[in-house]
Amino acid sequence: MKNAIELNQLQKKFGDKVAVKGSTFQVEEGILFSLLGVNGAGKTTTIRMLTGLSKPTSGEAYVGGYNIKTELDQVKKICNVSTQETAIAPNLTVEENLLFVAQIYGFSTTEAKKRMEEVMKQFSLDEVRKSKAKTLSGGWQRRLSIGMALITNPKILFLDEPTLGLDVLARKQLWKIISGLKGKITIVLTTHYMEEAEALSDKVAIMVDGELKACNTVDEIKAMTQKDSLEDAFIAIAEGEV
Amino acid sequence: MRGIVFAKRTLKEIVRDPLSYIFCVGFPIVMLIIMTIVNESIPAQAAIEIFQIQNLAPGIACFGLTFIMLFTCLQVSKDRSTAFLIRLYVSPMKPGEFVAGYTYPVILIAVLQSVITFIAAMIIGQIKGYHFEIQNILLCMVVLLPSALLFIGFGLFFATLLNEKAAPGICSIIISAACMIGGIWMDVDSIGGTLEKICKVFPFYHGVAAARFAIRGEYSKLGQPLLIILVYAVVIYLLATFVFRKKMQSDVR
């Protein structure tokens, strides 16, 4: 299987503080890859570097085969991101938000409308299509935000804590949507919910203080730590027991 | 093309905010009416011409543009405070397309605002017995464009450097300064002295003076203030776009 993402000793420093300590791992095409860690572990910084929002201090990384330092324009065309905070235009309707992002990525009006209808169906957004984004509930807004990331047909989708702050029902609905994307595109997910990572991930990486401590399938990480759940395995790794 | 797509979105964001109508359309018309009433109360012996409709209309048209600065500032700082701009930073959009996307819609709103202000002024002029020449109104609207660019530049500049709470506050200071030293509500030339010199150091006076010369058809006097406001506008706007580009690069570090 080809790699969608490759990191080789990727490092990020902010002054004297090392936020990401030379991470090296690969993400195979079409899988759902979860990046786990406590707050400040370096997950979001890693995603920011891979999407061009932050420049690495040293090391190399390739997204879709393109170097993030020298071929960032190509990287931007094939990936998209749904940030921790909902990223929507508040006074635009759901339809307008989706069309806007599609056109920013170079889709013609006809293509953008076609993709919009597909995303509307995929995310069950039809009932709120004419509503202004600011009037939607948190769950709907998050759904729209992820839809806006997907409308551009990205080969690689970064989801930074997509279910943060959502109620149980909204979270389960999003899980269903994310599960439906598996195999079609490569997804990199960061989350604090271990049951979410366990339910959705093909592969998991655990970061502690900017350092990559484990990178494997959920079952292999559980076996490695001799724990029954990913949460227990995560705690064992985060607390340095393993 | 992306700049146009982004501009359409910015325009929708602005026109769907009710405050836009209050400040952009309502306020200039209300000021025109109030100041015309004030002018009625001034005795003829006082020989104050500043509130006569032919001087008032270009002054208020210029004053209205200060709110264009506020809109630019509010829109940019609001975008910067949310994850929406982060989404666009990840997209293939270039810094120039962001700047274009913020500038085009507010230029359009500035022109519409001038049209509405002068239509109201023509109606008041008819009532008061003053006839505006259409070609002078059109010339005045063109002459106001550098002032519009200047205020857009200020809006972009402060929204880039300051946060969502501080930037509009600074814009309010600029609005007050533009009114005070721009000669909108007082005849700077007849005051003279140090105050006149101070007023002429800043661009606002020249923008208002150029607009007044244009509306009165005093074309021979138009050149100097127009050139001064044009130079100020280009410098401030280019500075603002430079600062925006730099800020965008430093955000991605």
Side-chain angles (χ1 to χ4, degrees):
Chain A
M1 196 184 277
K2 267 179 75 179
N3 289 330
I5 301 169
E6 290 178 30
L7 279 76
N8 185 13
Q9 290 299 310
L10 196 70
Q11 190 182 60
K12 180 69 186 177
K13 283 184 183 175
F14 294 104
D16 292 336
K17 186 179 168 18
V18 185
V20 176
K21 296 174 184 169
S23 288
T24 299
F25 63 83
Q26 295 81 39
V27 179
E28 294 84 10
E29 263 184 4
I31 70 163
L32 194 149
F33 182 90
S34 288
L35 207 47
L36 308 178
V38 294
N39 289 332
K43 311 181 298 289
T44 298
T45 305
T46 301
I47 286 192
R48 284 177 63 86
M49 285 193 282
L50 294 175
T51 52
L53 285 171
S54 187
K55 286 179 183 160
T57 309
S58 62
E60 298 288 333
Y62 295 85
V63 174
Y66 298 110
N67 188 310
I68 60 163
K69 287 180 182 168
T70 57
E71 298 169 297
L72 190 57
D73 285 348
Q74 295 300 322
V75 172
K76 287 183 169 197
K77 286 178 189 166
I78 60 158
C79 73
N80 211 325
V81 64
S82 178
T83 55
Q84 277 177 24
E85 303 88 19
T86 307
I88 52 175
N91 278 322
L92 265 56
T93 65
V94 168
E95 269 186 0
E96 288 168 341
N97 266 289
L98 291 168
L99 285 174
F100 165 69
V101 175
Q103 288 179 324
I104 285 292
Y105 277 77
F107 286 63
S108 68
T109 308
T110 315
E111 287 171 331
K113 282 184 178 169
K114 189 168 170 266
R115 274 299 292 149
M116 180 192 75
E117 292 303 335
E118 288 167 7
V119 171
M120 284 277 184
K121 197 175 166 190
Q122 193 175 11
F123 284 76
S124 308
L125 286 164
D126 208 46
E127 64 182 278
V128 292
R129 64 191 299 152
K130 298 286 181 195
S131 305
K132 280 186 189 170
K134 67 179 179 186
T135 64
L136 303 176
S137 68
W140 282 108
Q141 286 189 348
R142 196 59 62 86
R143 219 189 272 199
L144 170 61
S145 191
I146 298 174
M148 286 166 76
L150 261 179
I151 197 168
T152 62
N153 270 335
K155 287 185 177 169
I156 299 154
L157 176 65
F158 295 91
L159 299 174
D160 195 4
E161 301 189 30
T163 56
L164 188 73
L166 296 186
D167 61 45
V168 177
L169 283 179
R171 200 189 310 163
K172 291 281 180 189
Q173 282 170 343
L174 260 184
W175 282 18
K176 203 175 156 190
I177 291 167
I178 294 168
S179 294
L181 297 170
K182 282 174 69 173
K184 295 173 189 162
I185 59 172
T186 308
I187 302 170
V188 177
L189 171 84
T190 74
T191 181
H192 283 300
Y193 302 110
M194 292 302 135
E195 76 275 22
E196 184 168 292
E198 192 161 1
L200 298 173
S201 313
D202 297 304
K203 200 171 168 184
V204 166
I206 297 174
M207 293 183 80
V208 179
D209 291 332
E211 201 172 340
L212 187 73
K213 292 288 187 183
C215 184
N216 224 318
T217 62
V218 173
D219 288 340
E220 281 167 337
I221 285 178
K222 284 197 284 193
M224 183 183 87
T225 53
Q226 296 179 325
K227 302 288 181 186
D228 294 331
S229 69
L230 181 63
E231 185 162 331
D232 289 338
F234 173 79
I235 291 168
I237 291 169
E239 290 185 341
E241 288 174 25
V242 182
Chain B
M1 184 59 196
R2 288 190 190 98
I4 301 285
V5 172
F6 187 54
K8 282 182 188 169
R9 166 263 160 189
T10 307
L11 184 64
K12 283 177 188 168
E13 287 277 355
I14 294 174
V15 299
R16 287 177 187 176
D17 186 346
L19 274 180
S20 309
Y21 298 96
I22 295 168
F23 284 112
C24 259
V25 183
F27 211 54
I29 293 174
V30 168
M31 290 306 284
L32 263 180
I33 294 167
I34 290 174
M35 290 303 164
T36 303
I37 295 168
V38 168
N39 190 47
E40 288 291 296
S41 310
I42 299 172
Q45 301 92 303
I48 293 174
E49 295 177 351
I50 200 98
F51 297 132
Q52 289 174 359
I53 193 69
Q54 67 273 26
N55 292 322
L56 199 57
I60 286 179
C62 219
F63 172 62
L65 296 177
T66 60
F67 290 102
I68 299 297
M69 166 179 65
L70 189 62
F71 286 133
T72 311
C73 185
L74 285 171
Q75 192 58 54
V76 178
S77 58
K78 200 162 68 181
D79 282 351
R80 285 190 57 236
S81 69
T82 66
F84 181 70
L85 216 52
I86 299 291
R87 176 187 290 290
L88 296 180
Y89 282 174
V90 174
S91 80
M93 272 185 80
K94 305 282 182 214
E97 291 165 338
F98 280 97
V99 173
Y102 283 124
T103 304
Y104 297 157
V106 281
I107 284 277
L108 184 66
I109 291 170
V111 171
L112 282 173
Q113 188 192 48
S114 295
V115 169
I116 291 164
T117 304
F118 284 117
I119 287 173
M122 284 169 75
I123 295 167
I124 293 171
Q126 283 292 321
I127 297 166
K128 305 304 298 175
Y130 182 86
H131 175 70
F132 284 97
E133 297 291 338
I134 293 294
Q135 72 269 22
N136 289 345
I137 286 180
L138 293 175
L139 178 65
C140 185
M141 285 170 59
V142 173
V143 165
L144 284 168
L145 287 175
S147 290
L149 193 67
L150 174 84
F151 287 116
I152 292 167
F154 273 127
L156 192 58
F157 183 79
F158 293 124
T160 305
L161 290 182
L162 304 170
N163 64 31
E164 196 186 8
K165 286 175 183 163
I170 296 290
C171 283
S172 302
I173 294 171
I174 300 284
I175 291 172
S176 303
C179 288
M180 293 286 287
I181 59 179
I184 295 171
W185 311 128
M186 63 182 185
D187 188 356
V188 170
D189 296 312
S190 64
I191 290 172
T194 309
L195 184 61
E196 184 187 359
K197 284 176 188 162
I198 290 170
C199 291
K200 288 184 176 176
V201 166
F202 292 96
F204 317 117
Y205 166 83
H206 304 284
V208 176
R212 282 184 178 146
F213 288 137
I215 208 86
R216 295 198 299 246
E218 296 174 25
Y219 310 128
S220 60
K221 296 177 182 171
L222 189 59
Q224 192 187 358
L226 183 59
L227 184 67
I228 294 171
I229 187 70
L230 192 64
V231 170
Y232 264 111
V234 170
V235 170
I236 295 291
Y237 185 75
L238 288 180
L239 179 68
T241 56
F242 175 76
V243 169
F244 185 87
R245 281 167 190 265
K246 282 283 168 199
K247 184 69 183 165
M248 195 176 158
Q249 284 164 2
S250 72
D251 285 346
V252 182
R253 67 187 168 83

